[in-house]
Coordinates of all heavy atoms in Angstrom, one line a residue:
R1 N 53.7 -4.9 -100.9 CA 52.9 -5.0 -99.7 C 53.7 -4.7 -98.5 O 54.8 -5.1 -98.4 CB 52.3 -6.5 -99.6 CG 51.3 -6.9 -100.7 CD 49.9 -6.4 -100.4 NE 49.4 -7.0 -99.2 CZ 48.3 -7.7 -99.1 NH1 47.6 -8.0 -100.2 NH2 47.8 -8.2 -98.0
K2 N 53.0 -4.1 -97.5 CA 53.7 -3.9 -96.2 C 53.8 -5.2 -95.4 O 54.7 -5.4 -94.6 CB 52.9 -2.8 -95.4 CG 53.2 -1.4 -96.0 CD 52.5 -0.4 -95.1 CE 52.7 1.0 -95.7 NZ 52.0 2.0 -94.9
S3 N 52.8 -6.0 -95.6 CA 52.8 -7.3 -94.8 C 51.9 -8.3 -95.6 O 51.1 -8.0 -96.3 CB 52.4 -7.2 -93.4 OG 51.0 -6.9 -93.3
I4 N 52.2 -9.6 -95.3 CA 51.3 -10.7 -95.8 C 51.0 -11.7 -94.6 O 51.9 -11.8 -93.7 CB 51.9 -11.5 -97.0 CG1 53.3 -12.0 -96.7 CG2 51.9 -10.7 -98.3 CD1 53.9 -13.0 -97.7
N5 N 49.9 -12.3 -94.7 CA 49.5 -13.2 -93.7 C 49.8 -14.7 -94.2 O 49.3 -15.0 -95.2 CB 48.0 -13.1 -93.3 CG 47.7 -13.9 -92.0 OD1 47.4 -15.0 -92.1 ND2 47.7 -13.2 -90.9
T6 N 50.6 -15.4 -93.4 CA 51.0 -16.8 -93.8 C 50.7 -17.8 -92.8 O 50.5 -17.4 -91.6 CB 52.5 -16.8 -94.2 OG1 53.2 -16.7 -93.0 CG2 52.9 -15.7 -95.1
N7 N 50.8 -19.1 -93.2 CA 50.7 -20.1 -92.2 C 52.1 -20.3 -91.5 O 53.1 -19.7 -91.9 CB 50.3 -21.5 -92.8 CG 51.2 -21.9 -94.0 OD1 52.4 -21.9 -93.8 ND2 50.6 -22.3 -95.1
S8 N 52.2 -21.1 -90.5 CA 53.4 -21.3 -89.8 C 53.4 -22.7 -89.1 O 52.5 -23.0 -88.3 CB 53.7 -20.2 -88.8 OG 54.9 -20.3 -88.1
F9 N 54.4 -23.5 -89.4 CA 54.4 -24.9 -88.8 C 55.8 -25.3 -88.2 O 56.0 -26.4 -87.9 CB 54.1 -25.9 -89.9 CG 52.7 -25.8 -90.4 CD1 52.4 -25.1 -91.6 CD2 51.6 -26.3 -89.8 CE1 51.1 -24.9 -92.1 CE2 50.3 -26.2 -90.3 CZ 50.1 -25.5 -91.4
H10 N 56.7 -24.3 -88.1 CA 58.1 -24.7 -87.8 C 58.5 -24.4 -86.3 O 58.0 -23.5 -85.7 CB 59.1 -24.0 -88.7 CG 58.9 -22.5 -88.8 ND1 57.9 -21.9 -89.5 CD2 59.6 -21.5 -88.2 CE1 58.0 -20.6 -89.4 NE2 59.0 -20.3 -88.6
K11 N 59.3 -25.3 -85.8 CA 59.9 -25.2 -84.5 C 61.3 -24.6 -84.5 O 61.8 -24.2 -83.4 CB 60.0 -26.6 -83.8 CG 58.7 -27.1 -83.3 CD 59.0 -28.4 -82.5 CE 59.1 -29.6 -83.4 NZ 59.1 -30.9 -82.7
Y12 N 61.9 -24.5 -85.7 CA 63.3 -24.0 -85.8 C 63.3 -22.9 -86.8 O 62.6 -22.9 -87.8 CB 64.2 -25.1 -86.2 CG 64.4 -26.2 -85.1 CD1 63.5 -27.2 -85.1 CD2 65.3 -26.1 -84.2 CE1 63.6 -28.2 -84.1 CE2 65.4 -27.0 -83.1 CZ 64.6 -28.1 -83.1 OH 64.7 -29.0 -82.1
G13 N 64.2 -21.9 -86.5 CA 64.3 -20.7 -87.4 C 65.7 -20.5 -87.9 O 66.6 -21.2 -87.4
V14 N 65.9 -19.7 -88.9 CA 67.2 -19.4 -89.5 C 67.7 -18.1 -88.8 O 67.0 -17.1 -88.8 CB 67.0 -19.2 -91.0 CG1 68.3 -18.7 -91.6 CG2 66.6 -20.5 -91.6
K15 N 69.0 -18.1 -88.4 CA 69.6 -16.9 -87.8 C 71.0 -16.7 -88.5 O 71.5 -17.7 -89.0 CB 69.8 -17.1 -86.3 CG 68.6 -17.2 -85.5 CD 68.0 -15.8 -85.2 CE 66.7 -15.9 -84.4 NZ 66.0 -14.7 -84.4
N16 N 71.5 -15.5 -88.4 CA 72.9 -15.2 -88.9 C 73.0 -15.6 -90.3 O 74.0 -16.2 -90.7 CB 73.9 -15.9 -88.0 CG 73.7 -15.7 -86.5 OD1 73.4 -14.6 -86.1 ND2 73.9 -16.8 -85.8
L17 N 72.1 -15.1 -91.2 CA 72.3 -15.3 -92.6 C 73.5 -14.6 -93.1 O 73.7 -13.4 -92.7 CB 71.1 -14.8 -93.4 CG 69.8 -15.8 -93.4 CD1 68.7 -15.0 -94.1 CD2 70.2 -17.0 -94.2
P18 N 74.3 -15.2 -93.9 CA 75.5 -14.5 -94.5 C 75.1 -13.3 -95.3 O 73.9 -13.2 -95.7 CB 76.2 -15.6 -95.4 CG 75.7 -16.9 -94.9 CD 74.3 -16.6 -94.4
K19 N 76.1 -12.4 -95.6 CA 75.8 -11.2 -96.3 C 75.2 -11.3 -97.7 O 74.6 -10.5 -98.2 CB 77.1 -10.3 -96.4 CG 77.4 -9.7 -95.1 CD 78.7 -8.8 -95.2 CE 79.1 -8.2 -93.8 NZ 80.4 -7.6 -93.9
A20 N 75.5 -12.5 -98.3 CA 75.0 -12.7 -99.7 C 73.4 -12.8 -99.7 O 72.8 -12.7 -100.7 CB 75.6 -14.0 -100.2
F21 N 72.8 -13.0 -98.5 CA 71.4 -13.1 -98.4 C 70.8 -11.7 -98.1 O 71.4 -10.9 -97.4 CB 71.0 -14.1 -97.3 CG 71.1 -15.5 -97.6 CD1 72.4 -16.1 -97.4 CD2 70.1 -16.3 -98.0 CE1 72.6 -17.5 -97.7 CE2 70.3 -17.6 -98.3 CZ 71.5 -18.2 -98.1
E22 N 69.6 -11.5 -98.6 CA 68.8 -10.3 -98.3 C 67.6 -10.8 -97.6 O 66.8 -11.6 -98.1 CB 68.5 -9.5 -99.5 CG 67.7 -8.3 -99.2 CD 67.3 -7.5 -100.5 OE1 67.7 -7.9 -101.6 OE2 66.5 -6.5 -100.4
I23 N 67.3 -10.2 -96.4 CA 66.1 -10.6 -95.6 C 65.0 -9.8 -96.2 O 65.0 -8.5 -96.2 CB 66.3 -10.3 -94.1 CG1 67.4 -11.3 -93.6 CG2 65.0 -10.6 -93.4 CD1 67.9 -10.9 -92.2
V24 N 63.9 -10.5 -96.6 CA 62.8 -9.8 -97.3 C 61.6 -9.7 -96.4 O 60.9 -8.7 -96.4 CB 62.4 -10.6 -98.6 CG1 61.2 -10.0 -99.3 CG2 63.6 -10.7 -99.6
G25 N 61.4 -10.7 -95.5 CA 60.2 -10.6 -94.6 C 60.5 -11.2 -93.3 O 61.2 -12.2 -93.2
T26 N 60.0 -10.6 -92.2 CA 60.2 -11.1 -90.8 C 58.9 -11.0 -90.0 O 58.0 -10.2 -90.4 CB 61.3 -10.2 -90.0 OG1 60.9 -8.9 -90.1 CG2 62.7 -10.4 -90.6
T27 N 58.8 -11.7 -89.0 CA 57.7 -11.6 -88.1 C 57.9 -10.5 -87.0 O 59.1 -10.1 -86.9 CB 57.4 -13.0 -87.3 OG1 58.6 -13.4 -86.8 CG2 56.9 -14.0 -88.3
K28 N 56.9 -10.2 -86.3 CA 57.1 -9.1 -85.3 C 58.1 -9.5 -84.2 O 58.7 -8.6 -83.5 CB 55.8 -8.7 -84.7 CG 55.1 -9.7 -83.8 CD 53.8 -9.1 -83.3 CE 53.0 -10.2 -82.5 NZ 51.7 -9.7 -82.0
D29 N 58.3 -10.8 -84.0 CA 59.3 -11.3 -83.0 C 60.7 -11.4 -83.7 O 61.6 -12.1 -83.2 CB 58.9 -12.5 -82.2 CG 58.6 -13.7 -83.2 OD1 58.6 -13.5 -84.4 OD2 58.4 -14.8 -82.7
N30 N 60.8 -10.9 -84.9 CA 62.1 -10.8 -85.6 C 62.6 -12.1 -86.1 O 63.8 -12.2 -86.3 CB 63.1 -10.0 -84.8 CG 63.9 -9.0 -85.6 OD1 63.4 -8.5 -86.6 ND2 65.1 -8.7 -85.3
N31 N 61.8 -13.1 -86.4 CA 62.2 -14.3 -87.0 C 62.1 -14.1 -88.5 O 61.2 -13.5 -89.1 CB 61.4 -15.5 -86.6 CG 61.8 -16.0 -85.2 OD1 62.9 -16.5 -85.1 ND2 61.0 -15.9 -84.2
I32 N 63.1 -14.7 -89.2 CA 63.2 -14.5 -90.7 C 62.2 -15.5 -91.3 O 62.2 -16.7 -91.1 CB 64.7 -14.8 -91.2 CG1 65.7 -13.8 -90.6 CG2 64.7 -14.8 -92.7 CD1 67.1 -14.3 -90.7
E33 N 61.4 -14.9 -92.2 CA 60.3 -15.7 -92.9 C 60.6 -15.8 -94.4 O 60.2 -16.8 -95.0 CB 59.0 -15.1 -92.6 CG 58.5 -15.3 -91.2 CD 58.0 -16.7 -90.9 OE1 57.4 -17.3 -91.8 OE2 58.3 -17.1 -89.8
I34 N 61.2 -14.8 -95.0 CA 61.5 -14.7 -96.4 C 62.9 -14.1 -96.6 O 63.2 -13.1 -96.0 CB 60.5 -13.9 -97.2 CG1 59.0 -14.3 -96.9 CG2 60.7 -14.0 -98.7 CD1 58.0 -13.3 -97.4
A35 N 63.7 -14.8 -97.4 CA 65.0 -14.2 -97.8 C 65.4 -14.7 -99.2 O 64.9 -15.7 -99.7 CB 66.1 -14.7 -96.8
I36 N 66.2 -13.9 -99.8 CA 66.7 -14.2 -101.1 C 68.2 -14.2 -101.2 O 68.9 -13.5 -100.4 CB 66.1 -13.3 -102.3 CG1 66.3 -11.8 -101.9 CG2 64.7 -13.6 -102.5 CD1 65.9 -10.9 -103.1
N37 N 68.8 -15.0 -102.0 CA 70.3 -14.9 -102.3 C 70.4 -14.8 -103.8 O 70.2 -15.7 -104.5 CB 70.9 -16.2 -101.8 CG 72.4 -16.2 -102.0 OD1 73.0 -15.7 -102.9 ND2 73.1 -16.7 -101.0
K38 N 70.7 -13.5 -104.2 CA 70.7 -13.3 -105.7 C 71.8 -14.0 -106.4 O 71.6 -14.5 -107.5 CB 70.8 -11.8 -105.9 CG 69.4 -11.0 -105.7 CD 69.6 -9.6 -106.0 CE 69.4 -8.8 -104.7 NZ 69.6 -7.4 -104.8
K39 N 72.9 -14.1 -105.8 CA 74.1 -14.8 -106.4 C 73.8 -16.2 -106.7 O 74.1 -16.7 -107.8 CB 75.3 -14.7 -105.5 CG 76.6 -15.0 -106.1 CD 77.8 -14.8 -105.2 CE 79.1 -15.3 -105.8 NZ 80.2 -15.3 -104.9
K40 N 73.1 -16.9 -105.8 CA 72.8 -18.3 -106.0 C 71.3 -18.5 -106.4 O 70.9 -19.7 -106.5 CB 73.0 -19.1 -104.7 CG 74.5 -19.2 -104.4 CD 74.8 -20.2 -103.2 CE 76.3 -20.5 -103.1 NZ 77.1 -19.5 -102.5
K41 N 70.6 -17.4 -106.8 CA 69.2 -17.5 -107.3 C 68.4 -18.3 -106.3 O 67.7 -19.3 -106.8 CB 69.2 -18.2 -108.7 CG 69.9 -17.3 -109.8 CD 69.7 -17.9 -111.1 CE 70.3 -17.1 -112.2 NZ 70.1 -17.7 -113.5
F42 N 68.4 -18.0 -105.1 CA 67.6 -18.7 -104.0 C 66.6 -17.9 -103.4 O 66.8 -16.7 -103.1 CB 68.6 -19.2 -103.0 CG 67.9 -19.9 -101.8 CD1 67.5 -21.2 -102.0 CD2 67.7 -19.3 -100.6 CE1 66.8 -21.9 -100.9 CE2 67.0 -19.9 -99.6 CZ 66.6 -21.2 -99.7
L43 N 65.4 -18.5 -103.2 CA 64.3 -17.8 -102.4 C 64.0 -18.8 -101.3 O 63.6 -19.9 -101.5 CB 63.1 -17.6 -103.3 CG 61.8 -17.2 -102.6 CD1 61.9 -15.8 -102.0 CD2 60.6 -17.3 -103.6
G44 N 64.0 -18.3 -100.1 CA 63.7 -19.1 -98.9 C 62.4 -18.6 -98.3 O 62.2 -17.4 -98.0
L45 N 61.5 -19.6 -98.0 CA 60.2 -19.3 -97.4 C 60.1 -20.2 -96.2 O 60.1 -21.4 -96.3 CB 59.0 -19.5 -98.3 CG 59.1 -18.8 -99.7 CD1 57.9 -19.3 -100.5 CD2 59.0 -17.3 -99.5

């Protein structure tokens, strides 16, 4: 999908993810919404 519509309840965001992470989804104001870390088998939403 090019985009998905989601809810949002947070006041704080994640910045400067290390290289082991891959950013999968962002908002138009460039906040990270989805990321994965394959090495550690992690999915962040």
Side-chain angles (χ1 to χ4, degrees):
R1 291 277 295 242
K2 285 183 180 176
S3 70
I4 53 170
N5 190 277
T6 72
N7 58 46
S8 185
F9 296 97
H10 53 284
K11 281 189 278 190
Y12 294 88
V14 174
K15 294 279 180 195
N16 310 317
L17 278 174
K19 284 180 183 173
F21 286 82
E22 181 183 352
I23 296 167
V24 177
T26 56
T27 50
K28 65 180 180 183
D29 58 354
N30 224 27
N31 279 296
I32 299 164
E33 291 285 322
I34 309 169
I36 52 174
N37 183 321
K38 281 180 248 174
K39 193 177 175 185
K40 291 191 167 74
K41 296 187 178 180
F42 176 78
L43 169 68
L45 306 174

